Amino acid sequence: MPHRRKRDLIIKGFSKLLKEDKLKIVAELMDNQLETIELLKSFWYADTEKQKIFDEFSENTITNFYIPYGIAPNVMVNGKTHLVPMVIEESSVVAAASSAARFWSERGGFHARVKNAVKVGQIHFQWAGDKDKFVSLFDELKQRFRKNTKTITANMEKRGGGILDFELIDMRDKLENYYQINITFETKDSMGANFINSCLEESARTLQDFVKNHPSFEEKEKEITIIMAILSNYTPDCLVKVWVECPFAELENIDPSLTGEQFARKFEMAVKIAEIDPFRATTHNKGIFNGIDAVAIATGNDFRAIEAAGHAFASRNGHYQSLSHVEIKNGRFKYWIELPLALGTVGGLTSLHPLAKHSLEMLGKPSAKQLMMIIAALGMANNFAAIRSLITKGIQQGHMKMHLMNILNHFKASEKEKEKAVTYFSNHKVSFAEVGEFIKNLRLS
Amino acid sequence: MPHRRKRDLIIKGFSKLLKEDKLKIVAELMDNQLETIELLKSFWYADTEKQKIFDEFSENTITNFYIPYGIAPNVMVNGKTHLVPMVIEESSVVAAASSAARFWSERGGFHARVKNAVKVGQIHFQWAGDKDKFVSLFDELKQRFRKNTKTITANMEKRGGGILDFELIDMRDKLENYYQINITFETKDSMGANFINSCLEESARTLQDFVKNHPSFEEKEKEITIIMAILSNYTPDCLVKVWVECPFAELENIDPSLTGEQFARKFEMAVKIAEIDPFRATTHNKGIFNGIDAVAIATGNDFRAIEAAGHAFASRNGHYQSLSHVEIKNGRFKYWIELPLALGTVGGLTSLHPLAKHSLEMLGKPSAKQLMMIIAALGMANNFAAIRSLITKGIQQGHMKMHLMNILNHFKASEKEKEKAVTYFSNHKVSFAEVGEFIKNLRLS
C-alpha cells in the first residue's frame, strides 16, 4: 500500500516548494489524485494576483476554505440600523441573530457603551536583587522605556494612542524571584498586537540593559533573566456593555402559554442557571460567541483572541459563569451582556482581505469602539434567540428545519425532492433518519 | 444622503428575498454599487449547484468568505505521520506548527491518548414536591426515558453509541426548587449535538408527563416547570492528553545562549507563569487554540464549542490557567497538554463541505478519537513554537517576517519590489512604518 508508506515519510523543505508541488504531495495521499488536485484548485480565486494575497496571509497555502458569508439585517445599535455581515458555517445562527435583532429593533434596539479600551502587555522576569532599590529607580527606568520605544510609538502617538503606563508587580509569593512589568496601551482603531509586542520586546531589552549597567546595582544584582515579553489577550479593561429593556407588556405573545411577565421570569431563571452552573454557562456563552465570532471573522478580526479573553473574563469570579445577566424591576425586563472585546478596524487583515474590507464599509467604516458595540450586540442577539427558543418550543424544531437543507443535500436530493420534503417536514419532526426514509420512499414511489 | 437614510430603515422579509436581491440591498449601502455586486459574486463557487450547498449551510448567504487552507507537514502522532490541514487567517500559525511538528518528529513525535469521550446534556427544571419520593421513582422514570427515546437512539445504538446514564442533581441550595437531570451520551464518531438535543427534548416531555400523571404524586406535586433541555458544551469527560518528552541533550542548540537544560528550565518557568497568572494564561491558551481551531475548521468541526469547553476547563480550579504543563525529572523534559475536545468525523459538515471531506480523507479517515489526538497535537505544536520563540528570540522577528508579505501587499508592491524587500528585511527589523518607508524610497530612486 503506497498510501500507508507515504504517511510515514518525513518531508523536508515543504514550505519552499511551489504551490503546485504542494498540491501534488497532498494528492499523493489520496486514491483519486487528479480529482483531488482539481477539487483543491476549484476553490482558487479566479484572479491569480488576488489569490496570492490570500496565499500570503498564511503559509503552505494550497487553497481557500469557503465559509458562508451571510447578512443579519435590522441590527439597531444606539439608534442606528445596520446590515451585519456574519461568517459562520453553523445553520440557524444567522437566522437566530436576524430574528432577535428584528425583535429588539421594534423595542428600541440595542443600547451599547464602551466602558474602556485599554490593552495590556507584560514583561516577565526573574531578579534576585533589592526590591526597594528597584522601586526607587522605577521612574528612571520608565523614562528609559519611553525613550527607547519612541521610534515604534511615533506613528501611534500621531493617531492619539501609545503607551499609557508602566507598573511593577511583585509575584515572588508565587514563583521564585518572579516579577512582571505591566504596560498598558491605547491602540485606537487597530487591534495593536504587533505594535504592543514590538514595544514590549524593545522594553525587555531596555530592562536588561538598565539592570546590567545601572551604577546603583551591585555586581550580584546585575543578573536578570527576561523570561518573555508579550501582550496579554486578557483585556478586562477593554470592555463593552450592551443592553435592552422593555416593560413586560412588550414580551407578550412570544409564546402562547406565557404572559409577558412569565416569559421575563422564565428567561431570568435560564440566565441565573448559567450564572451558577459552569456546564450550562459554557453552552450559554458558546451561543454568544456564535454571533460574536461570525462578525469578527467577517471584519478581519482574530476570533481566537476574542474567545480567550471572553471566556477568561467569564471565570474571573472563581467559577466559570454567564456573560449575560437579567434584572427584573418595576414591571420591566432588563437584560445585558458585558465582555472584553479587543478589535481592530485598521491594520491586520481589515483592509487586505477584500471581504473584510467590504464588511467594514458596509458597516459604515466604524471605529474600533463602534465595532465593539455592534459585535457585542450580535452576541446578545444570538444569546436572546437561543434562550427564547430553549424556554419555549426548544431549539431542535428551528434548528432541524434549518438543517433540513443540509440533510437533503447529503442525500443529493433534487430541487423537486427538496420542495416535497420542505412541505412534508413543515409539520413533521426533522431527523437525519426520517429525512433519509422520506427520500427513499419518494424515490421508490 | 441616501446612504444614511438607508441605514435607518427596517427591512422586512429579507430572508425570503432571492440572493440577487439581497446583493442589491447590500450594494445600496455602498458608494460603488456595481463594483460591490461584482466583488461579492467573484467569490461564488463556479459550479452553481455546488454553491447552493454552501448557501444552505447558513441563512441570508450572499457569498463565501475565503480563509487560507494550508498544510502542516510532518505531524507525527503515536508513530503515524500526517499532513494536517489548517484553516487560519493569522500569519505564522501554520509555519510555527510545522516547525514544532518537524522538531518533535525527530524526537519520537507526539504521544496521545483519549482518556474518555462522554458527552453530557441537562434537563433544567423547578419542582416543589417531595424529593425523596422523586428519588424513589427515579428508576421508573429512567425506564420511561429509555422507552420514549427509542426511535431517536435506535440508529446511534447500531453504531455502538446511545444514552449512558441519567442522574438527578439537587441544586436547591443555589436556586429555588431547582433540579437538573444530567444525561450522559456516547456518540461515537459524530459530534452528536442534534442527537443529544433530540433525546433531551423528548426526555423533557417525558419528565413533564411523568410528574403530571404518576399516581404517587399528590395534586400540588404535579406542578413542574421545565426551564430548558439542552446539551452542555462543557465536556470534561471527553478528554484528550498529548505529550512529548526527551532528555535535555535533545534540546541543545535551540538557542545559542542556552544549554538543553537551561532551555528546559526556562520553558518550564514560562509554563508555570501561565499556570499562576490569568493574564498570561489567556494568551498562552489562545496560541493553543490557534492550532486547534485551524484543524477543527478544516475538518468541519464547530470551533466555538471547542473554545468554550477548553477555556471553561482551563478555569476549573478556581482561576483561569494554562492547558499545558511541564515536568522536569531525572534530566528529562516532559511536556503535556490536556483538554476536552468534542469532535465529529461523521455528520454535520464533515461530508457536506467538500474541503472538510477532503481534509478527513487526507488524514486517513480518522475516528473522532483519532481526530481528537491529531487536533490536540496541533494545539501543542503551536504552544511549543510560541514558547520556544518567546523565551529565545521573541516572537516579533518571526511573526513580522511572515507578516512582511501582508504589509507589502498593502503597499501594492510589485514582484520586483517584494524581492528587494525580502532581501533587505532578512536582516532589518520589519515594522509597518519601516516597510512603507522602504517601498517609498524604492519608488523614489
Side-chain angles (χ1 to χ4, degrees), chain A residues 7 11 42 45 59 65 67 74 81 92 180 232-233 277 283 286, chain B residues 7 11 42 45 59 65 67 74 81 92 180 233 277 283 302:
Chain A
R7 288 199 188 280
I11 302 170
S42 74
Y45 195 65
E59 300 85 32
F65 193 87
I67 305 185
N74 303 319
T81 305
S92 82
Q180 297 176 348
S232 172
N233 288 117
D277 176 18
T283 314
K286 189 271 185 194
Chain B
R7 289 199 188 280
I11 302 170
S42 73
Y45 195 64
E59 299 84 32
F65 193 87
I67 306 184
N74 303 319
T81 304
S92 80
Q180 297 176 348
N233 288 117
D277 176 18
T283 314
D302 178 339

PDB file of all heavy atoms in Angstrom, chain A residues 7 11 42 45 59 65 67 74 81 92 180 232-233 277 283 286, chain B residues 7 11 42 45 59 65 67 74 81 92 180 233 277 283 302:
ATOM      1  N   ARG A   7       2.537   7.966   4.320  1.00  0.00           N
ATOM      2  CA  ARG A   7       2.175   8.592   5.588  1.00  0.00           C
ATOM      3  C   ARG A   7       3.316   8.602   6.599  1.00  0.00           C
ATOM      4  O   ARG A   7       3.238   9.300   7.591  1.00  0.00           O
ATOM      5  CB  ARG A   7       0.984   7.865   6.215  1.00  0.00           C
ATOM      6  CG  ARG A   7      -0.303   8.123   5.492  1.00  0.00           C
ATOM      7  CD  ARG A   7      -1.491   7.784   6.361  1.00  0.00           C
ATOM      8  NE  ARG A   7      -2.711   7.873   5.575  1.00  0.00           N
ATOM      9  CZ  ARG A   7      -3.325   9.020   5.294  1.00  0.00           C
ATOM     10  NH1 ARG A   7      -2.856  10.146   5.776  1.00  0.00           N
ATOM     11  NH2 ARG A   7      -4.409   9.032   4.554  1.00  0.00           N
ATOM     12  N   ILE A  11       8.856  14.881   5.445  1.00  0.00           N
ATOM     13  CA  ILE A  11       9.030  15.704   4.250  1.00  0.00           C
ATOM     14  C   ILE A  11       9.901  16.893   4.613  1.00  0.00           C
ATOM     15  O   ILE A  11       9.604  17.617   5.563  1.00  0.00           O
ATOM     16  CB  ILE A  11       7.665  16.208   3.736  1.00  0.00           C
ATOM     17  CG1 ILE A  11       6.737  15.029   3.436  1.00  0.00           C
ATOM     18  CG2 ILE A  11       7.852  17.083   2.503  1.00  0.00           C
ATOM     19  CD1 ILE A  11       5.307  15.447   3.170  1.00  0.00           C
ATOM     20  N   SER A  42     -10.313  24.147  -7.630  1.00  0.00           N
ATOM     21  CA  SER A  42     -11.630  24.734  -7.930  1.00  0.00           C
ATOM     22  C   SER A  42     -12.007  25.815  -6.921  1.00  0.00           C
ATOM     23  O   SER A  42     -12.911  26.600  -7.156  1.00  0.00           O
ATOM     24  CB  SER A  42     -12.704  23.643  -7.982  1.00  0.00           C
ATOM     25  OG  SER A  42     -13.025  23.181  -6.680  1.00  0.00           O
ATOM     26  N   TYR A  45      -9.223  31.562  -6.194  1.00  0.00           N
ATOM     27  CA  TYR A  45      -9.833  32.775  -6.723  1.00  0.00           C
ATOM     28  C   TYR A  45      -9.462  32.894  -8.201  1.00  0.00           C
ATOM     29  O   TYR A  45      -8.332  32.594  -8.591  1.00  0.00           O
ATOM     30  CB  TYR A  45      -9.324  33.989  -5.940  1.00  0.00           C
ATOM     31  CG  TYR A  45     -10.138  35.246  -6.151  1.00  0.00           C
ATOM     32  CD1 TYR A  45     -11.456  35.302  -5.722  1.00  0.00           C
ATOM     33  CD2 TYR A  45      -9.581  36.362  -6.765  1.00  0.00           C
ATOM     34  CE1 TYR A  45     -12.203  36.460  -5.906  1.00  0.00           C
ATOM     35  CE2 TYR A  45     -10.321  37.519  -6.941  1.00  0.00           C
ATOM     36  CZ  TYR A  45     -11.636  37.559  -6.518  1.00  0.00           C
ATOM     37  OH  TYR A  45     -12.376  38.690  -6.700  1.00  0.00           O
ATOM     38  N   GLU A  59       0.780  30.325   5.584  1.00  0.00           N
ATOM     39  CA  GLU A  59       1.890  29.583   4.982  1.00  0.00           C
ATOM     40  C   GLU A  59       1.399  28.237   4.453  1.00  0.00           C
ATOM     41  O   GLU A  59       0.417  27.692   4.935  1.00  0.00           O
ATOM     42  CB  GLU A  59       3.012  29.362   6.003  1.00  0.00           C
ATOM     43  CG  GLU A  59       3.597  30.657   6.550  1.00  0.00           C
ATOM     44  CD  GLU A  59       2.803  31.205   7.709  1.00  0.00           C
ATOM     45  OE1 GLU A  59       2.233  30.389   8.462  1.00  0.00           O
ATOM     46  OE2 GLU A  59       2.726  32.438   7.857  1.00  0.00           O
ATOM     47  N   PHE A  65     -10.561  27.940   2.052  1.00  0.00           N
ATOM     48  CA  PHE A  65     -11.708  27.279   2.669  1.00  0.00           C
ATOM     49  C   PHE A  65     -12.874  28.262   2.621  1.00  0.00           C
ATOM     50  O   PHE A  65     -12.741  29.408   3.041  1.00  0.00           O
ATOM     51  CB  PHE A  65     -11.368  26.919   4.113  1.00  0.00           C
ATOM     52  CG  PHE A  65     -12.341  25.972   4.756  1.00  0.00           C
ATOM     53  CD1 PHE A  65     -12.192  24.597   4.619  1.00  0.00           C
ATOM     54  CD2 PHE A  65     -13.399  26.444   5.517  1.00  0.00           C
ATOM     55  CE1 PHE A  65     -13.078  23.708   5.218  1.00  0.00           C
ATOM     56  CE2 PHE A  65     -14.294  25.567   6.121  1.00  0.00           C
ATOM     57  CZ  PHE A  65     -14.127  24.194   5.972  1.00  0.00           C
ATOM     58  N   ILE A  67     -16.374  29.698   3.827  1.00  0.00           N
ATOM     59  CA  ILE A  67     -17.391  29.717   4.880  1.00  0.00           C
ATOM     60  C   ILE A  67     -18.469  30.703   4.427  1.00  0.00           C
ATOM     61  O   ILE A  67     -18.146  31.790   3.934  1.00  0.00           O
ATOM     62  CB  ILE A  67     -16.791  30.144   6.240  1.00  0.00           C
ATOM     63  CG1 ILE A  67     -15.594  29.237   6.596  1.00  0.00           C
ATOM     64  CG2 ILE A  67     -17.840  30.054   7.346  1.00  0.00           C
ATOM     65  CD1 ILE A  67     -14.998  29.494   7.970  1.00  0.00           C
ATOM     66  N   ASN A  74     -31.386  44.593  10.082  1.00  0.00           N
ATOM     67  CA  ASN A  74     -32.167  45.202  11.173  1.00  0.00           C
ATOM     68  C   ASN A  74     -31.492  45.179  12.534  1.00  0.00           C
ATOM     69  O   ASN A  74     -32.152  45.060  13.555  1.00  0.00           O
ATOM     70  CB  ASN A  74     -33.545  44.543  11.270  1.00  0.00           C
ATOM     71  CG  ASN A  74     -34.315  44.629   9.964  1.00  0.00           C
ATOM     72  OD1 ASN A  74     -34.281  45.662   9.298  1.00  0.00           O
ATOM     73  ND2 ASN A  74     -34.970  43.550   9.586  1.00  0.00           N
ATOM     74  N   THR A  81     -29.287  51.642  12.433  1.00  0.00           N
ATOM     75  CA  THR A  81     -29.572  50.274  11.991  1.00  0.00           C
ATOM     76  C   THR A  81     -28.539  49.792  10.976  1.00  0.00           C
ATOM     77  O   THR A  81     -28.184  50.530  10.054  1.00  0.00           O
ATOM     78  CB  THR A  81     -30.984  50.203  11.378  1.00  0.00           C
ATOM     79  OG1 THR A  81     -31.898  50.699  12.355  1.00  0.00           O
ATOM     80  CG2 THR A  81     -31.356  48.774  11.043  1.00  0.00           C
ATOM     81  N   SER A  92     -28.631  28.126  11.283  1.00  0.00           N
ATOM     82  CA  SER A  92     -29.560  28.810  12.178  1.00  0.00           C
ATOM     83  C   SER A  92     -28.950  29.952  13.004  1.00  0.00           C
ATOM     84  O   SER A  92     -29.688  30.679  13.656  1.00  0.00           O
ATOM     85  CB  SER A  92     -30.332  27.833  13.065  1.00  0.00           C
ATOM     86  OG  SER A  92     -29.592  27.449  14.185  1.00  0.00           O
ATOM     87  N   GLN A 180       6.728  41.021  37.296  1.00  0.00           N
ATOM     88  CA  GLN A 180       6.232  41.448  35.989  1.00  0.00           C
ATOM     89  C   GLN A 180       6.341  42.964  35.895  1.00  0.00           C
ATOM     90  O   GLN A 180       6.178  43.662  36.892  1.00  0.00           O
ATOM     91  CB  GLN A 180       4.745  41.102  35.814  1.00  0.00           C
ATOM     92  CG  GLN A 180       4.423  39.636  35.839  1.00  0.00           C
ATOM     93  CD  GLN A 180       2.919  39.390  35.765  1.00  0.00           C
ATOM     94  OE1 GLN A 180       2.108  40.312  35.920  1.00  0.00           O
ATOM     95  NE2 GLN A 180       2.548  38.142  35.529  1.00  0.00           N
ATOM     96  N   SER A 232      -0.939  40.646  26.515  1.00  0.00           N
ATOM     97  CA  SER A 232      -1.933  39.734  27.072  1.00  0.00           C
ATOM     98  C   SER A 232      -3.217  39.862  26.263  1.00  0.00           C
ATOM     99  O   SER A 232      -3.685  40.959  25.994  1.00  0.00           O
ATOM    100  CB  SER A 232      -2.221  40.054  28.543  1.00  0.00           C
ATOM    101  OG  SER A 232      -3.318  39.261  28.967  1.00  0.00           O
ATOM    102  N   ASN A 233      -3.781  38.719  25.904  1.00  0.00           N
ATOM    103  CA  ASN A 233      -5.092  38.735  25.239  1.00  0.00           C
ATOM    104  C   ASN A 233      -6.212  38.914  26.257  1.00  0.00           C
ATOM    105  O   ASN A 233      -7.373  39.055  25.872  1.00  0.00           O
ATOM    106  CB  ASN A 233      -5.325  37.442  24.446  1.00  0.00           C
ATOM    107  CG  ASN A 233      -4.481  37.358  23.203  1.00  0.00           C
ATOM    108  OD1 ASN A 233      -3.638  36.476  23.054  1.00  0.00           O
ATOM    109  ND2 ASN A 233      -4.686  38.294  22.295  1.00  0.00           N
ATOM    110  N   ASP A 277     -24.058  27.579  37.120  1.00  0.00           N
ATOM    111  CA  ASP A 277     -23.614  26.243  36.706  1.00  0.00           C
ATOM    112  C   ASP A 277     -22.690  26.324  35.491  1.00  0.00           C
ATOM    113  O   ASP A 277     -23.121  26.666  34.385  1.00  0.00           O
ATOM    114  CB  ASP A 277     -24.844  25.388  36.363  1.00  0.00           C
ATOM    115  CG  ASP A 277     -24.444  24.015  35.824  1.00  0.00           C
ATOM    116  OD1 ASP A 277     -23.289  23.598  36.033  1.00  0.00           O
ATOM    117  OD2 ASP A 277     -25.295  23.360  35.188  1.00  0.00           O
ATOM    118  N   THR A 283     -22.264  26.455  27.441  1.00  0.00           N
ATOM    119  CA  THR A 283     -23.104  26.423  26.242  1.00  0.00           C
ATOM    120  C   THR A 283     -23.766  27.780  26.010  1.00  0.00           C
ATOM    121  O   THR A 283     -23.880  28.254  24.880  1.00  0.00           O
ATOM    122  CB  THR A 283     -24.173  25.330  26.398  1.00  0.00           C
ATOM    123  OG1 THR A 283     -23.525  24.153  26.891  1.00  0.00           O
ATOM    124  CG2 THR A 283     -24.849  25.024  25.080  1.00  0.00           C
ATOM    125  N   LYS A 286     -21.157  29.914  24.636  1.00  0.00           N
ATOM    126  CA  LYS A 286     -20.847  29.432  23.284  1.00  0.00           C
ATOM    127  C   LYS A 286     -21.801  30.076  22.283  1.00  0.00           C
ATOM    128  O   LYS A 286     -21.407  30.506  21.195  1.00  0.00           O
ATOM    129  CB  LYS A 286     -20.954  27.906  23.249  1.00  0.00           C
ATOM    130  CG  LYS A 286     -20.455  27.259  21.979  1.00  0.00           C
ATOM    131  CD  LYS A 286     -21.521  27.113  20.910  1.00  0.00           C
ATOM    132  CE  LYS A 286     -21.021  26.357  19.712  1.00  0.00           C
ATOM    133  NZ  LYS A 286     -21.892  26.465  18.542  1.00  0.00           N
TER     134      LYS A 286
ATOM    135  N   ARG B   7     -29.691  53.354   6.046  1.00  0.00           N
ATOM    136  CA  ARG B   7     -29.243  52.709   7.277  1.00  0.00           C
ATOM    137  C   ARG B   7     -30.310  52.691   8.371  1.00  0.00           C
ATOM    138  O   ARG B   7     -30.195  51.984   9.339  1.00  0.00           O
ATOM    139  CB  ARG B   7     -28.004  53.419   7.829  1.00  0.00           C
ATOM    140  CG  ARG B   7     -26.776  53.191   7.009  1.00  0.00           C
ATOM    141  CD  ARG B   7     -25.517  53.500   7.806  1.00  0.00           C
ATOM    142  NE  ARG B   7     -24.353  53.451   6.934  1.00  0.00           N
ATOM    143  CZ  ARG B   7     -23.757  52.323   6.573  1.00  0.00           C
ATOM    144  NH1 ARG B   7     -24.180  51.177   7.035  1.00  0.00           N
ATOM    145  NH2 ARG B   7     -22.733  52.347   5.762  1.00  0.00           N
ATOM    146  N   ILE B  11     -35.901  46.466   7.413  1.00  0.00           N
ATOM    147  CA  ILE B  11     -36.155  45.669   6.214  1.00  0.00           C
ATOM    148  C   ILE B  11     -36.998  44.467   6.615  1.00  0.00           C
ATOM    149  O   ILE B  11     -36.645  43.729   7.542  1.00  0.00           O
ATOM    150  CB  ILE B  11     -34.829  45.177   5.596  1.00  0.00           C
ATOM    151  CG1 ILE B  11     -33.930  46.369   5.261  1.00  0.00           C
ATOM    152  CG2 ILE B  11     -35.101  44.320   4.375  1.00  0.00           C
ATOM    153  CD1 ILE B  11     -32.520  45.968   4.866  1.00  0.00           C
ATOM    154  N   SER B  42     -17.687  37.568  -7.181  1.00  0.00           N
ATOM    155  CA  SER B  42     -16.398  36.988  -7.598  1.00  0.00           C
ATOM    156  C   SER B  42     -15.948  35.878  -6.645  1.00  0.00           C
ATOM    157  O   SER B  42     -15.068  35.093  -6.969  1.00  0.00           O
ATOM    158  CB  SER B  42     -15.320  38.074  -7.688  1.00  0.00           C
ATOM    159  OG  SER B  42     -14.908  38.503  -6.405  1.00  0.00           O
ATOM    160  N   TYR B  45     -18.692  30.107  -5.883  1.00  0.00           N
ATOM    161  CA  TYR B  45     -18.119  28.910  -6.493  1.00  0.00           C
ATOM    162  C   TYR B  45     -18.593  28.842  -7.950  1.00  0.00           C
ATOM    163  O   TYR B  45     -19.748  29.159  -8.246  1.00  0.00           O
ATOM    164  CB  TYR B  45     -18.577  27.677  -5.722  1.00  0.00           C
ATOM    165  CG  TYR B  45     -17.778  26.429  -6.021  1.00  0.00           C
ATOM    166  CD1 TYR B  45     -16.423  26.357  -5.693  1.00  0.00           C
ATOM    167  CD2 TYR B  45     -18.365  25.329  -6.631  1.00  0.00           C
ATOM    168  CE1 TYR B  45     -15.682  25.224  -5.953  1.00  0.00           C
ATOM    169  CE2 TYR B  45     -17.624  24.178  -6.898  1.00  0.00           C
ATOM    170  CZ  TYR B  45     -16.283  24.133  -6.563  1.00  0.00           C
ATOM    171  OH  TYR B  45     -15.563  23.003  -6.819  1.00  0.00           O
ATOM    172  N   GLU B  59     -27.848  31.031   6.582  1.00  0.00           N
ATOM    173  CA  GLU B  59     -29.002  31.770   6.075  1.00  0.00           C
ATOM    174  C   GLU B  59     -28.558  33.137   5.556  1.00  0.00           C
ATOM    175  O   GLU B  59     -27.545  33.667   5.999  1.00  0.00           O
ATOM    176  CB  GLU B  59     -30.057  31.962   7.173  1.00  0.00           C
ATOM    177  CG  GLU B  59     -30.607  30.650   7.729  1.00  0.00           C
ATOM    178  CD  GLU B  59     -29.714  30.080   8.817  1.00  0.00           C
ATOM    179  OE1 GLU B  59     -29.094  30.879   9.545  1.00  0.00           O
ATOM    180  OE2 GLU B  59     -29.616  28.846   8.931  1.00  0.00           O
ATOM    181  N   PHE B  65     -16.782  33.503   2.349  1.00  0.00           N
ATOM    182  CA  PHE B  65     -15.595  34.152   2.894  1.00  0.00           C
ATOM    183  C   PHE B  65     -14.436  33.177   2.748  1.00  0.00           C
ATOM    184  O   PHE B  65     -14.544  32.032   3.153  1.00  0.00           O
ATOM    185  CB  PHE B  65     -15.829  34.487   4.364  1.00  0.00           C
ATOM    186  CG  PHE B  65     -14.807  35.416   4.955  1.00  0.00           C
ATOM    187  CD1 PHE B  65     -14.971  36.781   4.850  1.00  0.00           C
ATOM    188  CD2 PHE B  65     -13.692  34.930   5.636  1.00  0.00           C
ATOM    189  CE1 PHE B  65     -14.045  37.662   5.408  1.00  0.00           C
ATOM    190  CE2 PHE B  65     -12.760  35.797   6.189  1.00  0.00           C
ATOM    191  CZ  PHE B  65     -12.940  37.168   6.080  1.00  0.00           C
ATOM    192  N   ILE B  67     -10.869  31.709   3.655  1.00  0.00           N
ATOM    193  CA  ILE B  67      -9.777  31.660   4.631  1.00  0.00           C
ATOM    194  C   ILE B  67      -8.735  30.696   4.080  1.00  0.00           C
ATOM    195  O   ILE B  67      -9.087  29.627   3.578  1.00  0.00           O
ATOM    196  CB  ILE B  67     -10.276  31.204   6.026  1.00  0.00           C
ATOM    197  CG1 ILE B  67     -11.440  32.091   6.487  1.00  0.00           C
ATOM    198  CG2 ILE B  67      -9.148  31.268   7.054  1.00  0.00           C
ATOM    199  CD1 ILE B  67     -11.937  31.798   7.889  1.00  0.00           C
ATOM    200  N   ASN B  74       4.548  16.662   8.458  1.00  0.00           N
ATOM    201  CA  ASN B  74       5.392  16.022   9.482  1.00  0.00           C
ATOM    202  C   ASN B  74       4.804  16.011  10.888  1.00  0.00           C
ATOM    203  O   ASN B  74       5.524  16.103  11.866  1.00  0.00           O
ATOM    204  CB  ASN B  74       6.776  16.681   9.517  1.00  0.00           C
ATOM    205  CG  ASN B  74       7.457  16.637   8.162  1.00  0.00           C
ATOM    206  OD1 ASN B  74       7.386  15.632   7.465  1.00  0.00           O
ATOM    207  ND2 ASN B  74       8.074  17.741   7.772  1.00  0.00           N
ATOM    208  N   THR B  81       2.600   9.547  10.755  1.00  0.00           N
ATOM    209  CA  THR B  81       2.854  10.927  10.328  1.00  0.00           C
ATOM    210  C   THR B  81       1.758  11.439   9.396  1.00  0.00           C
ATOM    211  O   THR B  81       1.342  10.733   8.491  1.00  0.00           O
ATOM    212  CB  THR B  81       4.223  11.016   9.627  1.00  0.00           C
ATOM    213  OG1 THR B  81       5.203  10.508  10.530  1.00  0.00           O
ATOM    214  CG2 THR B  81       4.574  12.452   9.297  1.00  0.00           C
ATOM    215  N   SER B  92       1.882  33.088  10.321  1.00  0.00           N
ATOM    216  CA  SER B  92       2.878  32.369  11.124  1.00  0.00           C
ATOM    217  C   SER B  92       2.320  31.210  11.946  1.00  0.00           C
ATOM    218  O   SER B  92       3.099  30.454  12.518  1.00  0.00           O
ATOM    219  CB  SER B  92       3.717  33.311  12.001  1.00  0.00           C
ATOM    220  OG  SER B  92       3.051  33.678  13.160  1.00  0.00           O
ATOM    221  N   GLN B 180     -31.610  19.446  38.304  1.00  0.00           N
ATOM    222  CA  GLN B 180     -31.201  19.057  36.956  1.00  0.00           C
ATOM    223  C   GLN B 180     -31.305  17.542  36.819  1.00  0.00           C
ATOM    224  O   GLN B 180     -31.077  16.819  37.788  1.00  0.00           O
ATOM    225  CB  GLN B 180     -29.732  19.410  36.691  1.00  0.00           C
ATOM    226  CG  GLN B 180     -29.392  20.865  36.724  1.00  0.00           C
ATOM    227  CD  GLN B 180     -27.896  21.109  36.558  1.00  0.00           C
ATOM    228  OE1 GLN B 180     -27.081  20.187  36.640  1.00  0.00           O
ATOM    229  NE2 GLN B 180     -27.545  22.370  36.332  1.00  0.00           N
ATOM    230  N   ASN B 233     -21.892  22.082  26.278  1.00  0.00           N
ATOM    231  CA  ASN B 233     -20.640  22.076  25.531  1.00  0.00           C
ATOM    232  C   ASN B 233     -19.438  21.877  26.459  1.00  0.00           C
ATOM    233  O   ASN B 233     -18.320  21.726  25.984  1.00  0.00           O
ATOM    234  CB  ASN B 233     -20.454  23.389  24.758  1.00  0.00           C
ATOM    235  CG  ASN B 233     -21.388  23.509  23.579  1.00  0.00           C
ATOM    236  OD1 ASN B 233     -22.231  24.396  23.522  1.00  0.00           O
ATOM    237  ND2 ASN B 233     -21.253  22.600  22.636  1.00  0.00           N
ATOM    238  N   ASP B 277      -0.891  32.912  36.409  1.00  0.00           N
ATOM    239  CA  ASP B 277      -1.355  34.262  36.063  1.00  0.00           C
ATOM    240  C   ASP B 277      -2.372  34.220  34.913  1.00  0.00           C
ATOM    241  O   ASP B 277      -2.014  33.909  33.775  1.00  0.00           O
ATOM    242  CB  ASP B 277      -0.153  35.128  35.662  1.00  0.00           C
ATOM    243  CG  ASP B 277      -0.583  36.513  35.186  1.00  0.00           C
ATOM    244  OD1 ASP B 277      -1.735  36.922  35.470  1.00  0.00           O
ATOM    245  OD2 ASP B 277       0.224  37.187  34.505  1.00  0.00           O
ATOM    246  N   THR B 283      -3.340  34.321  26.906  1.00  0.00           N
ATOM    247  CA  THR B 283      -2.580  34.382  25.663  1.00  0.00           C
ATOM    248  C   THR B 283      -1.931  33.034  25.346  1.00  0.00           C
ATOM    249  O   THR B 283      -1.906  32.590  24.197  1.00  0.00           O
ATOM    250  CB  THR B 283      -1.501  35.479  25.776  1.00  0.00           C
ATOM    251  OG1 THR B 283      -2.123  36.645  26.323  1.00  0.00           O
ATOM    252  CG2 THR B 283      -0.908  35.814  24.426  1.00  0.00           C
ATOM    253  N   ASP B 302     -16.993  22.434  14.893  1.00  0.00           N
ATOM    254  CA  ASP B 302     -17.501  23.699  15.434  1.00  0.00           C
ATOM    255  C   ASP B 302     -16.493  24.252  16.439  1.00  0.00           C
ATOM    256  O   ASP B 302     -16.393  23.767  17.564  1.00  0.00           O
ATOM    257  CB  ASP B 302     -18.856  23.413  16.097  1.00  0.00           C
ATOM    258  CG  ASP B 302     -19.472  24.633  16.754  1.00  0.00           C
ATOM    259  OD1 ASP B 302     -18.759  25.600  17.064  1.00  0.00           O
ATOM    260  OD2 ASP B 302     -20.700  24.600  16.973  1.00  0.00           O
TER     261      ASP B 302
END
